[in-house]
Amino acid sequence: MTGSPTWQAVIGLEVHAQLRTQTKIFCGCAVRFGSPANTDVCPVCLGLPGALPVLNAAAVQMAVRTGLALGCTIQAVSVFSRKNYFYPDLPKGYQISQGDQPICLGGQLQIGRGDHAKSARIERIHLEEDAGKSLHGVGPGGQTGVDLNRAGTPLLEIVGKPDLSTPQEAAEYVEELRAILVHLGVCDGNLEQGSLRCDANVSVHRPGEPLGIRCEIKNMNSYRNIRDAVAYEIERQTEVLVHGGVIVQQTRLWNPDQGRTEPMRSKENANDYRYFPEPDLMPLRVQAAEIALARQALPELPSEIRQRLQGDYGLSEGVARWLVEEPQRVRGYERQLALGGAADLGASELPSMFANFLMSQVNAAWVRSQRPWADVDAALDTLWTLGQQWREGQLSNKMLAQVLTQAFTSLNSLGDSLKTAQAAAGAVVSDVQALREAVATVIGNFPKEVERYRGGQVQIAGFFVGQVMRVLGGKGDAKRIGMLVHEALTQ
Amino acid sequence: MADEFSGAITTWDASTIARAVGEGVCTAEAVTAAHLQRIAAIDPQVQAFIHVDTSRALAAAQAIDARRARGEKLGPLAGVPVAVKDQIAVAGLPQTAASKILQGYIAPYDATAVALLRAADAVVIGKTNQDEFGMGSSTENSAWGPTHNPWDLQRIPGGSSGGSAAAVAAALAPIALGTDTGGSIRQPAALCGVSGLKPTYGRVSRYGAIAFASSLDQIGPMARSPAELALVLQVLAGLDPRDATSEQGPALASGPLIAADLQGVRLGVPVQWRGVREGQDPGVAAQVQATLVQLATAGAKIVEVDVPLLDASVACYYVVATAEASANLARYDGIRFGRRAAWTAQATVDELYASSRAQGFGAEVQRRILLGTYALSSGYYDAFYKKASQVRRLLTAQLHAALAQCDALVGPTSPQCAWPLGARTQEPMAMYLMDIFTISANLAGLPALSLPVLPHPTSGLPIGLQLLGAPWAEWRILSIAKAISDLQPGPQRWPTAVEAP
């Protein structure tokens, strides 16, 4: 996938996170998604003549929290700068950002699992304002419109060192960074909506030789895009170099439909941004006491939570990772464990069973339903009971799937719908006499298979269980059927 | 004190008007109407105003009168008409900064300074002419034509706040707001024979003033005496949550301005200012010297101070100011407001920017945007912007050191009196050198004022004396200025080229 093994990729990521402040970074306008165009605006974020920026303290606090969580050094003094360029969605003709004196320096992010674990260094984190959005084709004659609701939304740019070497690592880096940001409560982490955006700097070289010329890849709004785009770019650059070509430093856009990266217009690569200190804002000072307070107030971080879940409850790495992905998910899970009242959860299989149940059965139904996770969260108590009944065989796989599908597609509260659906599904058939009859019918119907089983192909026992289940309309007690099938076949 | 309210209303100063309106001697409406009438009669010759807001000014005055009739106590500027430089936002009025590129733009909000004036019950009567975006020293760089000096209509009023200075001089308004980036309040005040104050950087909110060079700009008052400046400053001063560079600062005195006792005053004359020869009118130098002699006779100590980097101030200023301006003026691109060039479907958005800006900005503004863009460009930043910033820091330290030895630095405000219209429009460098005495106050963020002293010995034109104080020392330099005004019989009170009020 990554071309000739003699070529090695060097990848560094720049991640932009929209901060979840109530108001914009330099004015009092609301930060929210989905308002009608140009309604969350004021003279400041419109860049009207005479308007001036005033820094939002909440954005600074979020930058400090993030810096501390990533092991950065918080700078006592940092400086805002103007980044000058013309674009219709940039009202002032410059973006207020931080140049050579950002708020956080250094830091690292742990990625990978097991043997692939590695520490990727963070170069810097800085605060800046987001631009507006160009909406193409919205005018009566198909003209481009500009929506400035997003202009002035606080952004944190997290610049990683080029420490990554595979597309998988790039995706894992963003996944882990996202988990940290959402657990800190500083970003909602929505790649699709663009509240978290990622650009990748990719180059290839032969080990021992100087680093290659890099290209910057933009427009990757999912983990899959990140993996695919970086993989494509590595392949592309390797091809060029293998054939003796030269890489041109440029910005390229990932085109997910074509599955390739394409160069942006070269003009947009030739900017001299003429950074200079923003004279409308004083240098930003962060007191040591504020930093100490923020450090104390840091929540348990994703890696710590995963470790605790694995250690305390014996969860697998994958399940722990899935739970911790969303703070609400893991909080609800732990709350339910406490409510579920297993006296000694450490020694019990319940926590692990419940986590697996959520990640496999419940998650599948939830993803299809497009409901918010909050609905699941509110129904955890019912799901807990349902999970145990399923595990104990009081609910067959088919019945469970039916219950979940019905409940998730209902318009009522998930908890109530689960109960209704379960009642409608009725009880599992566990009456031994009824089951024996069903087993006998199936064995009678499939003499060849019986022969094969008796001839040593014991792995086809599952086939018989499935057939019995079919006879019973999917409502059989799977455990008992298994035992009865074995009993009948070995007679 | 019946005499206080004698004479034409337009000859009254702001404190007199506020008292008259507050005590019911006359109505705010009558005061506003008197000024509007004089504007109608005189301004066609002076052209101080770009926009006169007749109907709303009268309505505001009537509202003030109604509040008084209800028994409400009125503010310290009750019924005082105020002229506002076009650079500053007044809600509902055009705000063009005398630029074609802002043609048609109506400010949707009040600048903080304007809101404070309104809260003090002042009445905004209109917007005054200026050099485009504050860039100039003559008010000739206005897209709407030049303003004429009320002392000689063939001469410039100074700039960039030339319209405000001329309005106050010609009794079209008792007070006005200006902005000062390199002398734009003090120099036109000097050339029109009125008083003008640039406060300490941060003393008055910049919110609503179109930014020329953000780290140098200040809004300040223009009036017919230092006492009037003090009255307006008390209204304008203070921290504004909308301007991160504003500060509360040490409090100003309350109550009216009292003249300083000259016995205890030390005035510093920088040797570098004495050494200015190029472009210096000997008549101006002579009258400033005569004033210093009078002051010494009255007991003030005149001392020499050495501020070596004053010699570099013009060069330093024109790098810092143009660099900041190049970014500040980027928002005027014809996309969201103001004037947009004709657009053909084939043109790219970059071409639209270029044609809108080429047609919308005047020559001086384009020159400064180019200078500033160059100074910030990759490869030139260190040699220009960074070096100028270093010089600025050192100059500031030298000025602070000099001000530790005296109460104020003193010298002419402008090396020349008002010059004939058109005389310098082809010589930008000569024009820049006219700022030599005023720009150091902006580079160092210091308060500075200009007050009229003895008129020119041959032309009779007004001459301004500049006092430059330590940070936050506005009240000190104002009280010294009042003492100087009291000391001199004063130049002829009303300009000679227009009908006296």
Side-chain angles (χ1 to χ4, degrees), chain B residues 176-459:
Chain B
L177 287 185
T179 62
D180 189 316
T181 306
S184 281
I185 287 175
R186 291 160 287 159
Q187 186 258 15
L191 270 47
C192 287
V194 300
S195 297
L197 170 72
K198 180 202 90 77
T200 307
Y201 187 78
R203 174 73 88 176
V204 175
S205 169
R206 294 183 293 117
Y207 189 78
I210 286 179
F212 160 10
S214 312
S215 73
L216 304 166
D217 298 339
Q218 268 291 284
I219 291 177
M222 304 173 85
R224 291 196 288 263
S225 72
E228 299 280 285
L229 295 180
L231 175 66
V232 182
L233 181 66
Q234 283 170 329
V235 169
L236 297 180
L239 175 77
D240 178 8
R242 292 180 183 279
D243 176 0
T245 62
S246 73
E247 287 182 62
Q248 192 50 50
L252 298 166
S254 57
L257 182 69
I258 295 164
D261 179 359
L262 288 172
Q263 289 289 341
V265 168
R266 283 170 69 87
L267 297 172
V269 178
V271 293
Q272 288 74 17
W273 284 353
R274 265 203 211 287
V276 171
R277 296 282 176 269
E278 195 186 349
Q280 172 78 59
D281 178 334
V284 171
Q287 295 298 57
V288 167
Q289 187 54 34
T291 303
L292 292 182
V293 170
Q294 279 183 3
L295 285 166
T297 310
K301 277 249 175 342
I302 313 290
V303 295
E304 272 210 338
V305 292
D306 188 14
V307 189
L309 279 171
L310 281 176
D311 288 338
S313 57
V314 174
C316 173
Y317 173 84
Y318 277 93
V319 172
V320 173
T322 58
E324 291 185 16
S326 73
N328 281 331
L329 269 56
R331 70 186 63 190
Y332 308 108
D333 57 10
I335 299 291
R336 294 167 307 282
F337 49 76
R339 190 174 177 280
R340 180 186 288 187
W343 194 11
T344 59
Q346 297 86 348
T348 66
V349 72
D350 287 335
E351 287 161 352
L352 180 64
Y353 290 145
S355 53
S356 293
R357 287 164 68 81
Q359 292 168 24
F361 289 134
E364 181 60 28
V365 172
Q366 294 192 28
R367 176 160 34 240
R368 295 201 195 188
I369 291 172
L370 289 172
L371 280 171
T373 303
Y374 185 81
L376 291 175
S377 295
S378 167
Y380 298 95
Y381 181 89
D382 287 356
F384 291 99
Y385 183 80
K386 199 171 164 193
K387 179 63 75 182
S389 301
Q390 288 165 346
V391 170
R392 182 181 183 182
R393 270 196 298 280
L394 293 173
L395 170 64
T396 303
Q398 290 181 0
L399 283 167
H400 284 182
L403 285 162
Q405 304 163 41
C406 55
D407 293 282
L409 302 185
V410 63
T413 305
S414 164
Q416 300 219 346
C417 293
W419 56 87
L421 283 159
R424 297 228 163 81
T425 44
Q426 300 311 315
E427 308 167 59
M429 271 308 290
M431 198 82 103
Y432 295 173
L433 286 170
M434 290 295 105
D435 301 338
I436 189 152
F437 299 120
T438 47
I439 54 188
S440 47
N442 302 82
L443 287 170
L446 301 173
L449 61 78
S450 176
L451 77 155
V453 289
L454 306 167
H456 192 274
T458 52
S459 68

Side-chain angles (χ1 to χ4, degrees), chain A residues 175-232:
Chain A
E175 259 178 281
E176 185 62 9
L177 187 52
R178 181 194 172 280
I180 291 171
L181 294 172
V182 296
H183 274 269
L184 292 173
V186 303
C187 177
D188 66 18
N190 193 323
L191 282 150
E192 287 77 17
Q193 282 184 2
S195 64
L196 193 69
R197 307 198 278 269
C198 168
D199 303 334
N201 284 299
V202 177
S203 68
V204 299
H205 73 138
R206 271 187 290 242
E209 292 182 359
L211 292 182
I213 310 256
R214 66 196 157 88
C215 289
E216 185 180 6
I217 317 301
K218 290 179 178 287
N219 196 39
M220 302 172 291
N221 62 359
S222 69
Y223 299 128
R224 197 201 153 127
N225 279 180
I226 293 169
R227 265 189 297 266
D228 291 353
V230 171
Y232 174 88

